[in-house]
Amino acid sequence: MADGTHHHVYISAPGSDAVVATDFDGQVIKTIGQLDGARGMALSRDENTLYVALPESDAIAAVDTATLEETRRFATGDGMAPESLALAGGKLWFSYGASWRGGIGSISVGDPEPVVDPGNVPDFTWYGKPLLASSPASPDLLVAGESEVSPGALRVYDVTSGQTQEVAYNENPGGTVEDLAVTPDGQSVVTAADSVYYHQKFRLSDLTQTGLYDTGPYPTAVAIASDGTVAAGIVAGGDYDVYVYPPGDTTPVRTVILGGSSPYRDLLRRGLAWASDGSRLFAVRFTYQAQVILDVVPITDETSGGPASRSSAASTTEGVSR
């Protein structure tokens, strides 16, 4: 996750109970510790607060992005183990639950006395903890994708009332949803589903597929820049790891090999993020030596790209995710 205000990149490290903060050149600024099982993250709209899901302590931490210190912790309830986070409708939404009984709850983080609500999603709607995404351009819509079974359903919820009201559903958008990102105009969502050989684009109003990006096997990450440029990443099987598509086009203008000639360059699930000005793409990958490395990819007018520039190791812990 990238923070354009402070020029930070945040990488969660569940195995180390930490979030690693680097600068835009990939140099480590600080490791924020004591974040139990740190997983999904979300930035406040003003980028002053980083929210971090802590499944091992049934809580969500709030971190000041200027000081990189934890300032508050919200208890979500025993056994909830929150996973994915997104902001919509003036609340922070989180996925939670165990296998076959996933749910979506919320916290009114802007209130003087925040209220934690487990939500109104019926039992067995989600088989696991869904991945969540949103966009300031459609502030009252929350997008969710099945993250633990295949095929993985997609749903769009209107959260204007403070509860989730389903407004669109797609039963089979591919395999398990590994990542999803809403376009800057708030009209579409692009998904990375692991059982298909392409990334897909769906219209939010009815979740009809409106396009696809022919990336190859197996999609694992997607990030969309503020101008609509799409970065689509795969984990194996192709000549390249990341494909970059200009707004409104499905022909890549750049391809990226992470880690140069190394065969151990697996891009992590949800492992892509853009700098706010679109000048750099950040990619997190896992090596055979159990290292997690942040690659900084400069974006130019070139039509194709070779190996990405590689930062110093942002972390050497297993299980890092964006």
Side-chain angles (χ1 to χ4, degrees):
M1 174 162 289
D3 169 1
T5 300
H6 303 91
H7 284 202
H8 292 162
V9 178
Y10 306 110
I11 306 167
S12 60
S16 295
D17 297 331
V19 168
V20 178
T22 80
D23 62 20
F24 274 12
D25 293 321
Q27 301 301 311
V28 175
I29 300 170
K30 184 175 181 178
T31 298
I32 309 163
Q34 299 183 341
L35 299 176
D36 311 302
R39 290 281 182 179
M41 297 179 287
L43 269 175
S44 61
R45 298 301 187 209
D46 59 11
E47 298 191 330
N48 288 332
T49 304
L50 176 71
Y51 297 103
V52 185
L54 310 178
E56 293 181 8
S57 62
D58 296 321
I60 295 171
V63 174
D64 185 306
T65 52
T67 64
L68 298 178
E69 296 285 345
E70 182 180 343
T71 58
R72 190 164 191 175
R73 187 167 291 199
F74 306 93
T76 56
D78 291 345
M80 282 196 167
E83 184 80 18
S84 183
L85 305 179
L87 290 154
K91 292 185 176 184
L92 175 66
W93 297 84
F94 61 94
S95 63
Y96 67 89
S99 295
W100 309 102
R101 299 288 291 272
I104 300 174
S106 67
I107 305 175
S108 56
V109 290
D111 291 347
E113 296 184 8
V115 174
V116 178
D117 184 349
N120 63 329
V121 174
D123 284 348
F124 307 110
T125 297
W126 298 103
Y127 294 105
K129 303 174 190 179
L131 296 182
L132 305 179
S134 61
S135 168
S138 294
D140 294 321
L141 293 182
L142 180 69
V143 186
E146 183 62 72
S147 66
E148 294 188 20
V149 298
S150 182
L154 278 178
R155 289 179 169 86
V156 177
Y157 296 104
D158 186 319
V159 295
T160 307
S161 67
Q163 295 290 330
T164 52
Q165 178 181 354
E166 186 176 308
V167 294
Y169 172 63
N170 188 315
E171 181 179 11
N172 184 15
T176 302
V177 178
E178 298 288 315
D179 200 0
L180 71 172
V182 180
T183 54
D185 62 6
Q187 300 301 305
S188 302
V189 61
V190 178
T191 63
D194 64 359
S195 295
V196 294
Y197 286 17
Y198 43 80
H199 288 62
Q200 297 164 282
K201 184 177 182 179
F202 300 90
R203 187 169 53 223
L204 284 192
S205 60
D206 57 9
L207 287 179
T208 296
Q209 182 178 316
T210 58
L212 62 85
Y213 303 91
D214 189 14
T215 49
Y218 295 98
T220 192
V222 60
I224 307 177
S226 58
D227 68 351
T229 300
V230 173
I234 61 175
V235 73
D239 293 328
Y240 305 101
D241 301 296
V242 181
Y243 297 77
V244 179
Y245 300 87
D249 201 341
T250 56
T251 299
V253 292
R254 179 160 186 177
T255 51
V256 180
I257 301 172
L258 298 175
S261 60
S262 169
Y264 304 102
R265 57 178 197 255
D266 284 352
L267 179 66
L268 285 175
R269 183 189 204 195
R270 310 208 82 178
L272 292 174
W274 283 98
S276 55
D277 62 1
S279 63
R280 304 179 191 190
L281 178 67
F282 307 104
V284 181
R285 62 186 174 88
F286 184 77
T287 75
Y288 78 106
Q289 295 172 324
Q291 289 183 320
V292 170
I293 294 177
L294 172 64
D295 288 298
V296 180
V297 184
I299 299 298
T300 67
D301 293 331
E302 299 172 7
T303 57
S304 63
S309 61
R310 189 176 73 181
S311 74
S312 58
S315 172
T316 56
T317 57
E318 295 187 24
V320 172
S321 63
R322 173 168 65 86

